[in-house]
Amino acid sequence: MPALIDDSLLVIPHGRKVSVVDTRDGRLLSQPGGSADEFTPVGLSGGVLFAVEQRNRRNSLTAYDTATGRKLWQRTKSPLARDGADRDWLRVAPILTDPGPVVDAAPGWVAGLAPRTGAVRWSEEPTALTVCPPPRSDDPQVPRSPAGGATADRLVLLRHCPRETAELHLFDAADGRLVRKKVGRWLENIRLQTRRETIGVTLDDQLLVYSASGRELLRRTADRGSELFLSGEHRGVLYLSERRISEGVSTLHAVRADTGKTLWTRPEGSYGGFRDVSGDVVVSGSDAEGAYSGDQRWAPGDARLQGPGASSLTDLDGRRTSRVPWPVSGTFVGVSGQLLVVRSDEKDGTRYTALRPGHRAVDAERPAALGGVARKDWPDACGLLGDRLLAQLGRDFVDVPVKSSRKVLGTALPHPSVCRFATASGSGSGSDDDDIFSVTVRWVAPDAKAARTYAANALPWGCSPGLGGCVTAEIDRPRGGVALYTYRTGLEAKAVAHATVVSGRHVFGVSSGTDTPRARELIRRVALHLSRYNETAPPS
């Protein structure tokens, strides 16, 4: 279950409770929760945490004070129930606005509630919720109408039945007043995007942007083969993502809301990464090798995806930093105020880290993309083992440097950071596969503590998310700094042997293509050798 975040609070779920943390100083404020069979936090509004709780298969909506954890109110029946009837409700999570939650109170009905008392402020039966005509076989496959979202103070519904003009219904969350806005007809694609002050509607190749009150701000057509989306807005500037579908890349445009004039355009790389427009910066995930936006701890390979995460920052004038690595590996949670929050898994639980972007002088030899570590401090992956160890392993090994690994986060290195080793006769078949392995310089940290922190976050603790049930990596720690484990990958969940090694401020990876006893022993011997790297390495 993901954490919730806003400008000053982080809500961390754990079991039937949550921890509410002040992101400005990391202080624990409260731990709301109860004895429900299921406890699902759904959002924050006005210093109140809202959760859907389930007991005996019945849902209730509960409000908690974030500062104290005190339960403010709980509704187990629809606020629109009449004459003792328990009308169906909470089929979808409440939509949260600054004035308070708007709930799915009954089929076809919505109601706005006061956040601290739960009192019904208003209720409506929107025509946007009426059922669309029966679909035809040639109708486009799009999500059911309506699409829903919220600005800071309005409930937003987009009715989009096939062959009809799409229409926005905007409800003032404080009193239920309605503004209707016809958007236009569409053929194949329609999407709704809501931000705090603006609303975006993608109609096929067009993007229409409206203010929260329904005034049209922008109408723009995407280039052929592209889609336009509203990523965010700030101080009268709209940030649009243009995604080139066939290439899988995106471009960020900053556009003035009052004139439609493009202020600047910046390439964003892969659109699989995250993007968060907050405060005075746009925070973007990196698509470079050595960084990731999601949780890739279970992704086997040469461990290139298991470097620390990284972000680039773009200010309101379009000036962008280089890709800057985080001091931990993990998953981006969001931006709170001026802080980036990252979630990492460790042996004994989960760590949330707040990162504050800073400034440093440009240094060509100690670039920001390497965390300020000198390029020359990255060793040659093909020189880590030495002829003596390779001879002791008992086969005629040949090292094959991976040319693409000479760059990390766009920064050139003096040596390859990934090296593959195979027998001189080639990859072979059968048992020969047991002797094919690779060694990776995963990261060179500023100091030994940072290396240990990163490595602890990067190990595949817990259960594999893609294998169902609880399939673990069976992590073994034969000595300090060495972790041996087994991945299972592919449709057949093939087992492969891996290792993560920390030696001083260096983090290494070792990987095989199989998980036979011979392959595991080879990975073990190589990992133990690498753990002594800083005892034998020449001074830099």
Side-chain angles (χ1 to χ4, degrees), residues 96-268:
L96 299 179
T97 66
D98 290 354
V102 179
V103 299
D104 174 31
W109 283 82
V110 294
L113 308 181
R116 300 196 70 85
T117 66
V120 177
R121 287 174 161 171
W122 58 270
S123 62
E124 292 289 342
E125 188 178 17
T127 57
L129 296 181
T130 56
V131 178
C132 290
R136 299 191 317 202
S137 59
D138 59 344
D139 283 344
Q141 298 297 312
V142 298
R144 292 180 58 188
S145 178
T151 64
D153 56 8
R154 293 181 190 269
L155 166 68
V156 181
L157 299 176
L158 174 65
R159 180 174 172 82
H160 56 279
C161 297
R163 303 178 305 282
E164 294 183 5
T165 299
E167 191 172 72
L168 279 171
H169 291 204
L170 312 177
F171 291 87
D172 188 308
D175 57 23
R177 287 180 299 172
L178 171 64
V179 173
R180 298 171 64 154
K181 186 76 176 181
K182 291 187 180 298
V183 176
R185 288 184 172 270
W186 55 282
L187 297 176
E188 298 179 349
N189 179 36
I190 183 168
R191 300 191 192 185
L192 173 69
Q193 308 112 51
T194 56
R195 303 295 180 256
R196 283 192 59 80
E197 302 297 336
T198 50
I199 302 160
V201 180
T202 299
L203 294 177
D204 297 320
D205 62 349
Q206 270 199 331
L207 173 67
L208 286 74
V209 181
Y210 299 89
S211 69
S213 62
R215 181 170 60 91
E216 184 175 313
L217 300 175
L218 180 73
R219 183 180 293 254
R220 180 167 290 200
T221 301
D223 291 340
R224 185 178 181 85
S226 299
E227 289 181 305
L228 276 170
F229 298 89
L230 176 64
S231 282
E233 41 72 27
H234 187 64
R235 296 182 181 175
V237 177
L238 305 174
Y239 297 92
L240 314 180
S241 292
E242 183 170 11
R243 302 176 179 178
R244 296 198 62 82
I245 302 169
S246 61
E247 300 173 18
V249 297
S250 68
T251 301
L252 185 66
H253 304 271
V255 181
R256 284 187 55 165
D258 56 351
T259 65
K261 178 183 177 181
T262 298
L263 300 177
W264 49 261
T265 297
R266 295 290 181 270
E268 284 288 288

Side-chain angles (χ1 to χ4, degrees), residues 429-440:
S429 61
S431 62
D432 286 347
D433 291 339
D434 299 342
D435 296 309
I436 302 173
F437 67 97
S438 65
V439 172
T440 301

Side-chain angles (χ1 to χ4, degrees), residues 135-479:
R136 299 191 317 202
S137 59
D138 59 344
D139 283 344
Q141 298 297 312
V142 298
R144 292 180 58 188
S145 178
T151 64
D153 56 8
R154 293 181 190 269
L155 166 68
V156 181
L157 299 176
L158 174 65
R159 180 174 172 82
H160 56 279
C161 297
R163 303 178 305 282
E164 294 183 5
T165 299
E167 191 172 72
L168 279 171
H169 291 204
L170 312 177
F171 291 87
D172 188 308
D175 57 23
R177 287 180 299 172
L178 171 64
V179 173
R180 298 171 64 154
K181 186 76 176 181
K182 291 187 180 298
V183 176
R185 288 184 172 270
W186 55 282
L187 297 176
E188 298 179 349
N189 179 36
I190 183 168
R191 300 191 192 185
L192 173 69
Q193 308 112 51
T194 56
R195 303 295 180 256
R196 283 192 59 80
E197 302 297 336
T198 50
I199 302 160
V201 180
T202 299
L203 294 177
D204 297 320
D205 62 349
Q206 270 199 331
L207 173 67
L208 286 74
V209 181
Y210 299 89
S211 69
S213 62
R215 181 170 60 91
E216 184 175 313
L217 300 175
L218 180 73
R219 183 180 293 254
R220 180 167 290 200
T221 301
D223 291 340
R224 185 178 181 85
S226 299
E227 289 181 305
L228 276 170
F229 298 89
L230 176 64
S231 282
E233 41 72 27
H234 187 64
R235 296 182 181 175
V237 177
L238 305 174
Y239 297 92
L240 314 180
S241 292
E242 183 170 11
R243 302 176 179 178
R244 296 198 62 82
I245 302 169
S246 61
E247 300 173 18
V249 297
S250 68
T251 301
L252 185 66
H253 304 271
V255 181
R256 284 187 55 165
D258 56 351
T259 65
K261 178 183 177 181
T262 298
L263 300 177
W264 49 261
T265 297
R266 295 290 181 270
E268 284 288 288
S270 168
Y271 59 67
F274 61 81
R275 184 174 297 109
D276 196 315
V277 180
S278 179
D280 294 333
V281 295
V282 181
V283 182
S284 301
S286 174
D287 63 330
E289 293 181 339
Y292 62 95
S293 300
D295 185 351
Q296 296 290 329
R297 293 166 302 123
W298 280 87
D302 288 326
R304 192 70 275 133
L305 285 176
Q306 295 171 2
S311 297
S312 63
L313 306 177
T314 305
D315 68 13
L316 300 185
D317 293 324
R319 294 173 298 192
R320 176 174 297 168
T321 67
S322 61
R323 289 168 288 204
V324 181
W326 306 334
V328 295
S329 64
T331 304
F332 178 74
V333 175
V335 175
S336 181
Q338 295 183 343
L339 302 175
L340 282 65
V341 178
V342 176
R343 175 187 186 273
S344 307
D345 287 323
E346 299 181 356
K347 180 180 179 180
D348 299 321
T350 301
R351 176 194 297 264
Y352 286 82
T353 305
L355 308 174
R356 185 184 301 278
H359 297 274
R360 66 186 304 271
V362 175
D363 187 331
E365 289 306 311
R366 298 177 180 271
L370 298 183
V373 171
R375 300 170 194 261
K376 63 182 180 61
D377 291 347
W378 279 67
D380 184 347
C382 290
L384 291 171
L385 303 188
D387 294 339
R388 181 178 178 182
L389 176 64
L390 292 175
Q392 291 175 353
L393 295 177
R395 300 299 292 268
D396 184 15
F397 281 106
V398 175
D399 59 76
V400 182
V402 178
K403 292 182 179 180
S404 61
S405 70
R406 285 180 174 267
K407 277 193 174 183
V408 171
L409 290 175
T411 299
L413 300 175
H415 313 289
S417 59
V418 180
C419 189
R420 297 193 175 105
F421 294 84
T423 57
S425 58
S427 61
S429 61
S431 62
D432 286 347
D433 291 339
D434 299 342
D435 296 309
I436 302 173
F437 67 97
S438 65
V439 172
T440 301
V441 183
R442 291 192 179 177
W443 194 243
V444 181
D447 52 57
K449 181 180 179 181
R452 292 192 300 270
T453 299
Y454 157 63
N457 301 150
L459 291 179
W461 303 109
C463 303
S464 170
L467 295 177
C470 187
V471 179
T472 65
E474 303 164 10
I475 298 173
D476 179 33
R477 308 298 292 264
R479 65 168 295 182

